[in-house]
Amino acid sequence: MVHGVDGTQILLGLKQRGFGAGKMVAPGGKIEADESREQAAVRELFEETALITETDALLPAARVYFRFPANPAADMDCTIFLTTAFSGLPAASSELIPQWYPADNLPFGQMWDDSALWLGRILAGERFDALVRLATDNESVKHFATINWPGTKIPAIDATEADFPDIT
């Protein structure tokens, strides 16, 4: 994200291929062998947008556990980081076409339905784990629950589905 005279802007991108193609998403991807979450975030940001940052410039924001009951192979556990310390200009890749959006006018209509439930909370400074259980259409949200972090650091232990309230 960047803070400037025009307010806060968030870098999102149009996903070009694979899971979620056609949706607006944040840069990201899978952790490779012998790579930390932070190292993966730095690498993926560069691969997908050409922006360069360092692991110590990443601010932990949330862990989001996505569950797709109609397609369990798509389940994923994501760690979300923010950064305002980067260099370069965003450039399109085979994975993503990046674009800056005002934080108060994000393209939620082009994003996954769950994004509206947690992204604004992160931008407001909340830090939490979230469980997103999708409906059988693998698009709409059936259940959403959060657990606030006791501080600003990622908790040492990953949450389990049993830890989240109001899940039936």
Side-chain angles (χ1 to χ4, degrees):
M1 31 189 251
V2 293
H3 304 290
V5 294
D6 294 331
T8 300
Q9 300 216 356
I10 308 301
L11 186 68
L12 300 172
L14 180 63
K15 183 94 161 96
Q16 295 298 293
R17 61 184 175 148
F19 191 72
K23 295 198 180 287
M24 294 300 295
V25 299
K30 293 183 171 53
I31 299 172
E32 295 181 354
D34 298 325
E35 190 177 54
S36 70
R37 298 174 198 197
E38 293 83 1
Q39 291 167 329
V42 167
R43 177 185 49 77
E44 290 285 350
L45 180 67
F46 177 73
E47 288 176 0
E48 294 185 359
T49 71
L51 294 177
I52 299 168
T53 192
E54 301 292 331
T55 57
D56 60 358
L58 299 176
L59 306 170
R63 290 185 299 196
V64 183
Y65 304 93
F66 295 96
R67 299 296 178 258
F68 295 83
N71 183 14
D75 287 0
M76 63 184 93
D77 298 348
C78 300
T79 303
I80 299 167
F81 297 98
L82 301 174
T83 189
T84 58
F86 57 87
S87 61
L89 295 173
S93 67
S94 61
E95 189 77 29
L96 206 66
I97 300 174
Q99 183 174 339
W100 292 104
Y101 289 92
D104 60 358
N105 191 24
L106 296 175
F108 287 119
Q110 299 171 342
M111 299 172 79
W112 288 95
D113 287 349
D114 60 85
S115 299
L117 300 173
W118 55 266
L119 184 53
R121 293 174 66 174
I122 288 172
L123 297 176
E126 292 184 46
R127 300 295 176 255
F128 54 85
D129 286 345
L131 176 64
V132 177
R133 183 176 301 284
L134 285 294
T136 56
D137 64 3
N138 284 330
E139 292 277 333
S140 55
V141 177
K142 183 172 182 181
H143 293 290
F144 176 77
T146 61
I147 302 168
N148 290 331
W149 292 355
T152 58
K153 294 185 180 191
I154 297 172
I157 300 172
D158 288 346
T160 67
E161 290 188 45
D163 295 327
F164 290 91
D166 302 320
I167 299 297
T168 57

